[in-house]
């Protein structure tokens, strides 16, 4: 499945979920944290940033990436 990393209405990244999270982290839009036992907690995106499946967006947004 292809995901879109979006800020406001701009598409910042288009690709697999894991790589989209990596891109968000490299853009400093996402903070990853871990439990004491080493398991990963849900990533927290910065306000105004969304990570959505590409299929949920209108076609014009899909082509923007």
């Amino acid at each position: 499945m292809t995901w879109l990393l979006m800020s406001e209405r701009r598409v910042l990244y288009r690709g697999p979920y894991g790589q989209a999270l990596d891109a968000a982290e490299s853009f400093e839009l996402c903070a990853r944290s871990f439990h004491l036992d080493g398991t990963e907690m849900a990533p927290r995106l910065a306000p105004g940033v969304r990570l959505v499946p590409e299929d949920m967006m209108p076609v014009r947004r899909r082509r923007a990436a």
Side-chain angles (χ1 to χ4, degrees):
M1 179 183 285
T2 303
W3 291 76
L4 297 177
L5 177 65
M6 302 179 70
S7 177
E8 303 298 324
R9 294 183 175 209
R10 277 190 351 235
V11 175
L12 303 174
Y13 181 83
R14 178 182 170 265
Y17 183 78
Q19 291 178 6
L21 284 178
D22 290 342
E25 193 172 22
S26 69
F27 297 148
E28 297 183 3
L29 299 173
C30 174
R32 289 186 175 178
S33 55
F34 297 87
H35 293 282
L36 294 176
D37 64 358
T39 56
E40 188 174 3
M41 298 171 85
R44 295 179 185 222
L45 295 173
V49 176
R50 297 181 299 158
L51 186 58
V52 295
E54 183 181 40
D55 294 340
M56 293 181 64
M57 300 306 295
V59 174
R60 67 181 182 275
R61 293 266 185 246
R62 293 183 204 176
R63 294 184 183 145

